[in-house]
């Protein structure tokens, strides 16, 4: 839809304004008339203008003084000014005009094609400004919707979900009927999966809104990984994941968030890797400035899957979980690593193995994280 752009014309002579109106008349332009500097300032208080065409020679407040007033006000200091004058060319006057904040200085009689071209530039800039303002308003509305969604997930959904899971646990304990116990187990398992999905959606909402908070403390990554590995041990005591470490593995990180990352990667390795050999987790602290974690399993990831493996809502036909998840695990894991100013990558080649590698700065870095590549941001939540 076409938007009307306003241009302010300031001149004490009526015929000059009429001539300018005839020169630049077009449907998407509205010319605001001012016959003095004072009238121009009044119009600027009530209108957002793309350009001011100002005559230099005016009684009372001349064009230079008007420009100085405009530059002194936060509302009008960024309005482009083109001075128009019928006086002889004078280097001193031209310099004074630019010093007052003009973007151009034209002497009458001027070429109408040149003036139209100059006006067109500022009209297009104004159209872009209005478009950006609309986009900003849309993004603001999306963020508000996102915050409302987080509030619903954090309270309105999790409370009844907890009641469902707890009721299923009670049924498993008090009922001796096999059919009841089977149904209760299904409810508990489904509720647990739903709870994990809610947690993932909460995390992704926090990441996209920039509200993900970290609590860094001095921890040992080897100990953290050891606890995760123990959680995946079978009841019979069979060890499915081998842990090895070297060097100094201490640093400043958020233990809960990194536990979430490592748990996700180890769980994926156990679920999607082949049974040819076990899973290995290696923590390398030999570098003075960073610590590396490498999680390795047998099996390969197709190249076409690797290309988008860290994208959100990544559903592929190669998934072995039957599509029961949201496809957010690896995306959230990478974002959590990024929030520590670290990096996460995957390598899966002809050797028959897949390795996810995490590089973490040893000391926590405060401040904003670099924006991800544009390809990682082309989605709306």
């Amino acid at each position: 839809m076409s938007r009307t752009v306003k241009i302010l014309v300031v001149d004490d002579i009526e015929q000059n304004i009429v001539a300018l109106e005839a020169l630049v008349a077009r449907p998407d332009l509205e010319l605001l008339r001012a016959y003095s500097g004072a009238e121009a300032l009044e119009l600027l208080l009530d209108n957002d203008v793309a350009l001011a065409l100002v005559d230099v020679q005016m009684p009372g407040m001349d064009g230079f003084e008007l420009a100085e007033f405009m530059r002194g006000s936060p509302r009008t200091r960024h309005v482009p000014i083109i001075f128009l004058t019928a006086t002889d060319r004078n280097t001193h006057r031209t310099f004074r005009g630019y010093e007052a904040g003009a973007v151009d200085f034209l002497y009458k009689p001027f070429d109408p094609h040149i003036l139209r071209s100059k006006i067109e530039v500022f009209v297009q800039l104004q159209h872009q400004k209005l478009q950006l303002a609309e986009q900003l308003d849309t993004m603001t509305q999306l963020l508000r919707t996102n915050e409302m969604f987080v509030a619903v997930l954090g309270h309105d959904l999790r409370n009844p979900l907890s009641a469902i899971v707890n009721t299923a646990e009670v049924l498993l304990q008090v009922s001796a009927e096999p059919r009841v116990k089977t149904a209760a187990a299904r409810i508990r398992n489904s509720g647990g999966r739903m709870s994990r999905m809610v947690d993932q959606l909460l995390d992704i909402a926090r990441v996209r809104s920039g509200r993900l908070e970290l609590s860094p403390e001095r921890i040992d990554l080897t100990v953290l990984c050891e606890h995760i590995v123990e959680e995946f041990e079978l009841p019979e005591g069979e060890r499915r994941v081998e842990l090895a470490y070297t060097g100094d593995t201490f640093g400043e990180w958020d233990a809960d968030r990194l536990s979430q990352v490592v748990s996700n990667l180890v769980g994926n390795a156990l679920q999607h890797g082949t049974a040819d050999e076990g899973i290995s987790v290696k923590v390398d602290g030999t570098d003075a400035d960073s610590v590396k974690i490498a999680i390795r399993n047998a099996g390969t990831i197709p190249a076409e899957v690797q290309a988008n493996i860290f994208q959100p809502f990544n559903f592929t036909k190669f998934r072995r979980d039957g599509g029961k998840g949201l496809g957010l695990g690896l995306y959230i894991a990478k974002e959590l690593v990024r929030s520590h100013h670290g990096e996460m990558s995957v390598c899966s080649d002809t050797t028959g193995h897949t390795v996810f590698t995490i590089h973490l700065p040893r000391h926590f870095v405060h401040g904003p994280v670099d924006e991800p590549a544009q390809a990682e941001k082309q989605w709306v939540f």
Side-chain angles (χ1 to χ4, degrees):
M1 184 178 71
S2 177
R3 306 178 186 87
T4 301
V5 174
K6 297 179 181 180
I7 293 179
L8 176 65
V9 180
V10 188
D11 199 311
D12 61 317
I13 300 176
E14 171 78 15
Q15 293 89 336
N16 291 341
I17 294 182
V18 172
L20 280 174
E21 285 182 329
L23 181 65
V24 302
R26 46 191 274 190
D28 62 336
L29 286 185
E30 177 185 353
L31 264 67
L32 305 177
R33 293 181 170 206
Y35 297 97
S36 67
E39 286 186 29
L41 292 175
E42 290 182 6
L43 287 171
L44 288 169
L45 287 176
D46 300 324
N47 297 275
D48 183 18
V49 302
L51 175 67
L53 301 174
V54 180
D55 182 39
V56 175
Q57 298 280 63
M58 293 187 295
M61 184 190 304
D62 65 16
F64 295 142
E65 292 173 319
L66 172 60
E68 291 173 0
F69 275 110
M70 291 173 63
R71 293 294 172 257
S73 170
R75 176 177 173 79
T76 58
R77 68 176 45 157
H78 299 297
V79 174
I81 300 173
I82 295 180
F83 281 126
L84 306 175
T85 182
T87 59
D88 295 334
R89 293 181 181 271
N90 183 294
T91 303
H92 175 71
R93 291 175 64 80
T94 302
F95 177 77
R96 186 183 174 190
Y98 287 120
E99 192 177 46
V103 297
D104 211 339
F105 204 106
L106 298 181
Y107 289 89
K108 302 175 183 178
F110 42 76
D111 188 327
H113 299 291
I114 292 178
L115 182 59
R116 288 196 197 98
S117 297
K118 293 180 182 293
I119 291 175
E120 178 64 22
V121 170
F122 295 104
V123 169
Q124 292 301 320
L125 287 174
Q126 184 72 355
H127 281 309
Q128 293 174 13
K129 176 183 174 182
L130 295 173
Q131 185 177 7
L132 287 174
E134 283 187 2
Q135 292 175 353
L136 178 61
D137 183 64
T138 300
M139 291 302 298
T140 301
Q141 294 297 328
L142 286 174
L143 285 175
R144 289 174 181 168
T145 303
N146 193 51
E147 290 177 355
M148 292 174 60
F149 182 73
V150 171
V152 170
L153 283 176
H155 184 270
D156 297 347
L157 288 181
R158 297 187 75 166
N159 284 348
L161 184 57
S162 296
I164 291 172
V165 174
N166 292 336
T167 302
E169 290 285 358
V170 171
L171 287 174
L172 282 171
Q173 295 176 14
V174 302
S175 177
E177 174 64 36
R179 294 178 61 186
V180 173
K181 295 178 77 69
T182 299
R186 289 176 180 171
I187 294 173
R188 180 195 61 188
N189 295 338
S190 297
R193 191 165 70 250
M194 288 177 63
S195 180
R196 289 190 294 273
M197 290 181 181
V198 169
D199 289 338
Q200 286 187 337
L201 289 172
L202 281 170
D203 282 335
I204 200 172
R206 294 188 186 105
V207 167
R208 300 309 298 178
S209 63
R211 298 175 61 184
L212 180 66
E213 296 181 358
L214 300 180
S215 301
E217 57 181 327
R218 183 170 174 77
I219 61 174
D220 185 352
L221 270 187
T222 299
V223 174
L224 181 147
C225 291
E226 191 171 37
H227 290 327
I228 300 299
V229 169
E230 289 175 354
E231 291 177 3
F232 285 98
E233 287 186 0
L234 295 173
E236 299 81 11
E238 180 183 349
R239 196 172 183 85
R240 299 189 293 173
V241 183
E242 294 296 329
L243 174 65
Y245 70 94
T246 181
D248 178 10
T249 57
F250 278 87
E252 298 175 0
W253 305 290
D254 186 313
D256 291 337
R257 292 303 187 180
L258 288 188
S259 294
Q260 183 178 347
V261 173
V262 176
S263 179
N264 178 279
L265 294 179
V266 172
N268 283 347
L270 288 169
Q271 181 177 3
H272 301 293
T274 64
D276 298 345
E277 55 187 89
I279 313 299
S280 69
V281 178
K282 295 183 179 179
V283 186
D284 184 354
T286 55
D287 187 87
D289 300 320
S290 64
V291 180
K292 181 175 73 173
I293 305 174
I295 299 171
R296 180 176 182 269
N297 64 268
T300 58
I301 302 174
E304 61 269 30
V305 178
Q306 287 188 59
N308 299 301
I309 198 166
F310 293 114
Q311 294 295 308
F313 304 104
N314 184 27
F315 301 100
T316 77
K317 63 182 180 181
F318 298 99
R319 289 180 57 175
R320 300 184 183 179
D321 59 0
K324 296 179 180 178
L326 292 172
L328 292 173
L330 287 176
Y331 170 78
I332 292 173
K334 186 167 186 177
E335 288 298 307
L336 292 177
V337 172
R338 283 185 66 251
S339 67
H340 285 80
H341 290 261
E343 297 179 356
M344 186 163 76
S345 60
V346 61
C347 178
S348 184
D349 51 32
T350 56
T351 62
H353 295 90
T354 296
V355 181
F356 281 87
T357 305
I358 302 169
H359 285 88
L360 294 166
R362 193 178 293 274
H363 302 288
F364 187 77
V365 180
H366 294 276
V369 181
D370 293 338
E371 284 295 312
Q374 188 66 28
E376 296 183 21
K377 299 172 64 180
Q378 294 177 350
W379 61 281
V380 177
F381 178 63

